[in-house]
Amino acid sequence: MTQIPLFCSSLIIFLVLATSISPSHENQTFLECLKTNSNPSYPISSLVFSPKNSSFPSVLQEYIRNLRFNESTTRKPLFILTAQHESHIQASIICAKAQGVQMKIRSGGHDYEGLSYVSDVPFFIVDMFNFHSINVSIEDESAWVEVGATLGEVYYRIAEKSNVHGFPAGVCPTVGVGGHFSGGGYGNMMRKYGLTVDNIDDAKLIDVHGRILDRKSMGKDLFWAITGGGGVSYGVILSYKIKLVRVPPKVTVFRVQRFYDQNALDLAYLWQRRADKWDNDLFMRMIIDVVNSTTRTPEKTIRVSFFTLFLGDVNRLLSLLNRSFPELGLERKDCIEMTWVESVLYYTSFPNGTRVEALLSRVPQSLTYLKRKSDYLQKPMSKEGLEFIFKKMIELQIPTSLTFNPYGGRMSEISPSAKPFPHRAGNIAKIQYATNWNEAGVEAANHYLNLTRVLYDYMTPFVSKSPRLAFLNYRDLDIGITHNGKLSYFEGKVYGIKYFKKENFNRLVKIKTKVDPENFFRNEQSIPVYPAGRK
């Protein structure tokens, strides 16, 4: 496997870190420790970037996807290791343990709270973007995908070999595989094929002892944990073996919008009662947001959009919706037939006709300051409830959209304990709160964060309860954090049962305590270990 370094001209950097050093590494700088413990056939010095290096800002910012964590006040890492070989990661684990420095692991940087590149304690980043090989085998309908690859690259490489295969993952092509897969990634084929983690056959991981493990050698418990429980709590994942799924040569997409004065309330009300029960080939996302009114009376109005992927042709789609959702009034002119890989571009709002090579770009279409939150809809909202939320969104003048992603289908057939991700049968939809803004600074951030939290509070009567559930890949520090101290288990339980429910969370903690008892792999929302004396 050949890896091409992104930054090949960097100078050797000697780092002196103000941290405690264990006796076995006394008087060593971190770089010296890395050099001592990595494979000399794969030199590491030129892959380490400290703030003293002129390339440090560009290396750091290359994979920051939330501008909220790119402020001058944001704490910066002590250095960044742009690893190119397994030995670089093994060395970083050895040296981080020896010198007491927190290690953060970044693949694509789309984690909503910046947990892969921000910390309140001294830390460094192991950046995995050089681990991006993708080996597709159409013969056995599988692919080995390294964690630094992006979803767009995965889709492109599959489509390069077959127009009747795909993979059920997210719609944003610049998302990195590592966090997306390990956290239970989903996309617009989940009603047909489930989540990413429901379609993973194997994985390679470096554990806290520096061992490279596959599914067989890591055992069923650890493999279970890293397929939905978040890989960063258990080790450094190198790659996943995924199962490709069948897609038709042509799929159908549409994006239909209705405003408040165009029966949007009735359509939203009906969507909740039907979207999880439609044919498994149909994924119809509903998005609610506030826009300028064309009539100016009132000035702002509610827009409800229906964004759809159908795994079939337009004739079958029209026949299906004319029977099951005639109120939408879908017409042939609203629909477009295309290949599955072209539908990825459509869903990401690329202009029609964009070449599929655009999926290979690692540069997002836009970067903003953002906040995300999540909820689960388990009972349909009444019209009065929807009206209440519509009015509050307008009153708040909030730039937040509510995206309802329908469940049912394959999602309802899989046991909640099959993977750490527990949100299966009994859920109508997952809701994403998405707030974006373009104003820098703490004051602006606090303003928009508060608006998002207020809307989230207004939604309380209509969503899951005891606990109020959340989705791990929509990281949200509002629901709890751990300081990774003596109380980490009790702090972790607060957010852990929201992400995983009680049974799965307890199993994750048990596995974590066994494979990483010193809690080396940690972040502000990692899986904790049991308190001392408890097993």
Side-chain angles (χ1 to χ4, degrees):
M1 174 169 51
T2 302
Q3 299 290 346
I4 307 298
L6 183 60
F7 305 98
C8 354
S9 60
S10 57
L11 301 174
I12 294 178
I13 304 157
F14 292 93
L15 303 171
V16 181
L17 301 180
T19 58
S20 59
I21 301 175
S22 69
S24 61
H25 294 276
E26 191 172 359
N27 298 323
Q28 276 194 326
T29 67
F30 210 110
L31 181 61
E32 289 168 346
C33 182
L34 290 174
K35 290 170 67 177
T36 299
N37 289 283
S38 63
N39 188 330
S41 299
Y42 300 92
I44 198 170
S45 299
S46 64
L47 305 175
V48 182
F49 296 81
S50 79
K52 295 180 180 179
N53 185 271
S54 60
S55 297
F56 177 82
S58 61
V59 177
L60 175 62
Q61 294 170 23
E62 181 74 14
Y63 291 95
I64 291 179
R65 302 303 187 225
N66 186 349
L67 295 181
R68 187 155 61 94
F69 304 110
N70 196 26
E71 301 276 15
S72 60
T73 54
T74 305
R75 186 168 192 157
K76 304 300 186 289
L78 296 167
F79 66 91
I80 304 167
L81 171 61
T82 59
Q84 290 184 349
H85 188 260
E86 292 93 337
S87 68
H88 301 155
I89 300 164
Q90 292 166 317
S92 69
I93 293 171
I94 292 170
C95 298
K97 288 196 294 184
Q99 302 204 14
V101 183
Q102 185 178 22
M103 186 170 85
K104 294 272 185 162
I105 307 153
R106 183 167 73 172
S107 58
H110 274 272
D111 49 326
Y112 289 145
E113 298 284 14
L115 298 189
S116 63
Y117 53 86
V118 174
S119 181
D120 289 332
V121 300
F123 74 105
F124 72 100
I125 296 171
V126 175
D127 212 320
M128 300 292 290
F129 64 81
N130 283 316
F131 285 77
H132 59 86
S133 75
I134 302 165
N135 294 307
V136 177
S137 172
I138 297 301
E139 290 71 27
D140 63 1
E141 298 184 303
S142 70
W144 272 104
V145 181
E146 289 189 325
V147 295
T150 65
L151 297 185
E153 291 170 336
V154 173
Y155 299 151
Y156 181 87
R157 295 306 174 196
I158 295 172
E160 196 175 37
K161 292 194 173 183
S162 170
N163 69 344
V164 291
H165 287 87
F167 187 68
V171 300
C172 180
T174 58
V175 166
V177 161
H180 185 75
F181 282 17
S182 70
Y186 80 98
N188 52 20
M189 291 200 292
M190 70 174 178
R191 300 191 66 253
K192 179 74 171 182
Y193 292 113
L195 306 174
T196 57
V197 292
D198 300 322
N199 295 276
I200 291 176
D201 280 337
D202 205 342
K204 292 182 179 178
L205 167 144
I206 300 179
D207 73 359
V208 72
H209 305 293
R211 300 174 300 186
I212 299 177
L213 308 175
D214 61 9
R215 179 175 183 169
K216 182 177 180 181
S217 57
M218 74 176 71
K220 64 179 183 179
D221 283 340
L222 183 51
F223 181 74
W224 178 85
I226 65 169
T227 51
V232 294
S233 292
Y234 298 94
V236 181
I237 299 172
L238 300 173
S239 57
Y240 281 107
K241 184 182 181 183
I242 61 174
K243 294 184 291 187
L244 308 185
V245 301
R246 296 291 182 94
V247 296
K250 291 290 183 182
V251 302
T252 306
V253 296
F254 69 78
R255 183 190 289 117
V256 170
Q257 301 175 347
R258 298 289 185 262
F259 298 95
Y260 185 80
D261 59 1
Q262 295 176 312
N263 213 26
L265 177 63
D266 289 339
L267 292 176
Y269 173 80
L270 292 171
W271 181 95
Q272 299 172 97
R273 284 158 173 75
R274 301 175 185 175
D276 61 324
K277 302 175 183 65
W278 284 323
D279 189 292
N280 291 7
D281 287 337
L282 179 62
F283 180 89
M284 185 188 296
R285 170 180 280 176
M286 180 173 71
I287 305 170
I288 302 172
D289 60 358
V290 178
V291 296
N292 291 326
S293 173
T294 56
T295 62
R296 298 292 178 184
T297 310
E299 189 173 319
K300 298 286 184 179
T301 190
I302 287 291
R303 175 177 62 184
V304 178
S305 304
F306 300 95
F307 205 1
T308 301
L309 171 70
F310 179 66
L311 299 173
D313 61 40
V314 65
N315 290 330
R316 188 159 74 93
L317 173 61
L318 288 170
S319 175
L320 190 158
L321 286 185
N322 284 340
R323 293 194 312 270
S324 60
F325 200 23
E327 297 86 355
L328 182 61
L330 185 69
E331 300 180 30
R332 183 176 293 270
K333 64 180 177 61
D334 299 318
C335 305
I336 308 172
E337 288 186 341
M338 56 181 61
T339 64
W340 173 78
V341 75
E342 289 171 338
S343 77
V344 176
L345 294 167
Y346 179 86
Y347 237 84
T348 316
S349 299
F350 278 97
N352 289 345
T354 299
R355 292 175 59 86
V356 295
E357 284 75 13
L359 293 174
L360 297 176
S361 172
R362 287 175 162 253
V363 180
Q365 292 161 276
S366 64
L367 288 175
T368 64
Y369 302 83
L370 61 88
K371 174 66 178 177
R372 300 291 187 264
K373 298 178 76 67
S374 62
D375 259 325
Y376 281 89
L377 183 70
Q378 297 180 330
K379 296 180 180 179
M381 297 170 67
S382 66
K383 285 189 179 180
E384 292 76 18
L386 283 166
E387 188 81 70
F388 172 77
I389 294 301
F390 287 1
K391 288 180 178 178
K392 291 302 178 183
M393 291 178 74
I394 292 173
E395 285 176 16
L396 292 170
Q397 295 288 292
I398 189 169
T400 299
S401 61
L402 295 178
T403 298
F404 292 70
N405 297 284
Y407 272 41
R410 181 67 181 137
M411 291 295 291
S412 293
E413 298 167 358
I414 300 172
S415 166
S417 62
K419 297 293 179 182
F421 178 98
H423 314 297
R424 304 293 188 166
N427 292 294
I428 296 171
K430 171 167 58 225
I431 305 171
Q432 183 189 59
Y433 302 71
T435 306
N436 299 335
W437 63 95
N438 291 305
E439 303 164 46
V442 174
E443 186 176 344
N446 288 338
H447 170 72
Y448 290 107
L449 290 173
N450 182 62
L451 286 178
T452 313
R453 291 163 182 157
V454 170
L455 181 60
Y456 180 81
D457 288 343
Y458 280 133
M459 286 289 290
T460 302
F462 311 112
V463 295
S464 60
K465 299 173 179 63
S466 301
R468 186 171 182 174
L469 301 172
F471 175 41
L472 179 66
N473 271 1
Y474 289 174
R475 286 285 191 187
D476 180 9
L477 296 185
D478 292 349
I479 67 172
I481 63 169
T482 176
H483 297 88
N484 289 300
K486 292 183 179 179
L487 297 177
S488 65
Y489 170 75
F490 303 100
E491 292 173 332
K493 189 175 182 180
V494 173
Y495 57 81
I497 62 172
K498 297 174 184 176
Y499 287 138
F500 305 111
K501 295 188 178 179
K502 183 178 179 180
E503 294 78 9
N504 287 3
F505 172 71
N506 285 338
R507 184 178 175 187
L508 287 167
V509 173
K510 184 177 181 180
I511 297 166
K512 169 73 171 180
T513 305
K514 179 180 179 181
V515 303
D516 184 19
E518 301 301 319
N519 195 26
F520 172 76
F521 293 109
R522 63 191 184 277
N523 61 39
E524 292 77 3
Q525 278 194 346
S526 54
I527 300 298
V529 297
Y530 277 128
R534 177 175 174 180
K535 295 183 179 181

